[in-house]
């Protein structure tokens, strides 16, 4: 950690400045200190904004990790500040850490039912991007109504999902009701990322919990092949929702 911090340098950016251009060789990895940045991908002669960093997150790791051309263009849309890490230091430190992560998480990631349909190389890339977070008993992991930027897989312990329902009377509406529990190998926090809506429920640790966490950009980049399974499971939430609260709202339809 201290070696990374020592090697990092600040880069100030202006609106419309390209921090990274798709197709270039990779020089630096960047951590966002502040500012908004569009992720633009050109494909078949068309450029599309596929996401953004909002005062948070990091980018530019792919070209350095896999020795590939830059996979996207990153454009600042406001004034901003970044912390950069040069390629040589990034590879020396981060790649060593990635090798360790692969050893630690390979077997567990193989056992996660959601990820079964992925190729071994795709699962490796998931290991490369995941972080681990530990929560204490009762700690809130996700808060209903919040903006979402992460996806979670339970590595150990138990997570309970609670919901405050709009369909209940006002007195009951502020009370949370338990609707599900997640155990080792199960995932949560996908719904808001898939629907682009606020968190539909809250998640709390039951006892000490370890979760693997992935940011929304990695979720969209790497979990496309698992999207059908997640969407199918979301339709099961809807059936449960109707059974529990008698409401027939469509969780997958943003219009509702
Ligand atoms: P890089 O070194 O390739 C561009 O330089 C960076 O954009 C890349 O590392 C990532 O850190 C970041 N696909 C590719 N790169 C992405 C994506 C992405 N999102 C962020 N980056 N997505 C798939 C697009 C078809 C995800 C969109 C949310
Ligand atoms: P999220 O990003 O909305 C809360 O953040 C998470 O709780 C959600 O993603 C799901 O991963 C998880 N309805 C809504 N969210 C649920 C449900 C659910 N179960 C788990 N989550 N159900 C219907 C509500 C009555 C499922 C009942 C079994």
């Amino acid at each position: 950690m201290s070696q990374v911090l020592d090697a990092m340098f600040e880069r100030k950016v202006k609106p419309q400045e390209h921090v990274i251009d798709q197709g270039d060789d990779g020089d630096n990895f960047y951590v966002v200190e502040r500012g908004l940045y569009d992720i633009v991908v050109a494909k078949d002669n068309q450029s599309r904004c596929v996401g953004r960093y909002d005062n948070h997150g990091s980018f530019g790791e792919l070209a350095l990790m896999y020795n590939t051309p830059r996979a996207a263009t990153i454009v600042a849309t406001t004034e901003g500040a970044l912390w950069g890490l040069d390629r040589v230091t990034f590879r020396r430190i981060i790649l060593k850490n990635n090798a360790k992560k692969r050893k630690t998480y390979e077997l567990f990631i193989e056992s996660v039912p959601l990820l079964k349909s992925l190729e071994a190389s795709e699962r490796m890339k998931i290991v490369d991007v995941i972080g681990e977070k530990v929560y204490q008993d009762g700690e809130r992991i996700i808060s209903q109504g919040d903006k979402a930027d992460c996806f979670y897989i339970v590595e150990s312990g138990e997570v309970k999902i609670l919901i405050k329902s709009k369909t209940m009377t006002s007195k009951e509406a502020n009370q949370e009701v338990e609707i599900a529990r997640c155990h080792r190998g199960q995932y949560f926090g996908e719904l808001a990322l898939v629907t682009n809506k606020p968190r539909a429920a809250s998640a709390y640790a039951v006892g000490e919990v370890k979760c693997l966490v992935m940011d929304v950009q990695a979720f969209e980049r790497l979990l496309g092949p698992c999207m059908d399974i997640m969407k199918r499971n979301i339709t099961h939430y809807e059936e449960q929702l109707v059974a529990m609260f008698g409401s027939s709202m469509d969780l997958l339809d943003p219009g509702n």
Side-chain angles (χ1 to χ4, degrees):
M1 199 59 160
S2 65
Q3 284 181 51
V4 169
L5 287 177
D6 285 346
M8 285 187 115
F9 56 91
E10 195 178 24
R11 174 167 169 190
K12 296 250 169 68
V13 295
K14 299 217 152 45
Q16 303 315 319
E17 187 171 331
H18 286 209
V19 182
I20 285 179
D21 279 298
Q22 187 174 345
D24 281 2
D25 287 342
D27 48 4
N28 301 312
F29 162 72
Y30 295 99
V31 178
V32 176
E33 185 183 324
R34 61 190 145 80
L36 301 179
Y37 304 82
D38 279 350
I39 306 162
V40 180
V41 174
K43 210 178 147 202
D44 307 327
N45 281 330
Q46 285 211 325
S47 282
R48 210 162 53 90
C49 178
V50 293
R52 94 189 315 200
Y53 298 97
D54 180 352
N55 286 289
H56 184 75
S58 61
F59 54 80
E61 78 290 2
L62 297 179
L64 308 189
M65 272 192 322
Y66 304 120
N67 267 318
T68 47
R70 294 294 199 187
T73 296
I74 306 290
V75 188
T77 58
T78 60
E79 299 235 345
L82 299 163
W83 288 93
L85 183 66
D86 66 277
R87 179 188 184 96
V88 174
T89 315
F90 179 91
R91 287 187 63 89
R92 184 163 49 83
I93 296 165
I94 308 289
L95 290 192
K96 194 160 55 167
N97 188 48
N98 274 3
K100 229 189 287 170
K101 262 165 80 183
R102 286 189 180 189
K103 280 213 191 83
T104 313
Y105 295 117
E106 197 174 356
L107 280 178
F108 171 62
I109 287 292
E110 267 175 34
S111 77
V112 172
L114 175 71
L115 309 176
K116 281 270 189 288
S117 65
L118 297 178
E119 310 266 338
S121 64
E122 294 173 319
R123 276 198 293 267
M124 266 312 138
K125 290 190 170 170
I126 290 181
V127 174
D128 291 344
V129 300
I130 49 177
E132 188 186 77
K133 276 197 184 165
V134 182
Y135 301 91
Q136 301 308 319
D137 184 34
E139 200 174 334
R140 189 160 60 195
I141 305 168
I142 280 182
S143 191
Q144 183 174 347
D146 274 6
K147 222 172 93 185
D149 54 12
C150 289
F151 167 75
Y152 302 82
I153 296 173
V154 182
E155 187 193 348
S156 66
E158 198 177 2
V159 173
K160 61 178 179 185
I161 310 288
L162 274 67
I163 199 167
K164 285 185 267 188
S165 173
K166 280 187 285 195
T167 59
M168 292 189 281
T169 61
S170 58
K171 188 168 136 271
E172 291 169 312
N174 284 326
Q175 273 181 359
E176 295 187 309
V177 198
E178 183 171 329
I179 52 170
R181 290 211 174 203
C182 303
H183 301 97
R184 181 175 168 83
Q186 294 181 312
Y187 65 87
F188 62 96
E190 82 298 0
L191 181 58
L193 303 186
V194 172
T195 58
N196 254 318
K197 291 209 283 192
R199 295 294 192 190
S202 296
Y204 296 89
V206 182
E208 191 187 271
V209 171
K210 271 191 201 159
C211 287
L212 300 185
V213 187
M214 188 189 292
D215 67 26
V216 55
Q217 289 83 15
F219 176 85
E220 290 187 13
R221 190 164 53 82
L222 298 174
L223 293 190
C226 311
M227 210 47 84
D228 285 346
I229 302 176
M230 286 191 272
K231 287 190 173 164
R232 202 176 323 133
N233 289 337
I234 290 171
T235 59
H236 295 158
Y237 297 161
E238 284 157 3
E239 288 158 15
Q240 290 280 339
L241 194 63
V242 176
M244 292 170 98
F245 301 119
S247 151
S248 62
M249 73 183 203
D250 186 348
L251 292 171
L252 270 176
D253 178 2
N256 248 316

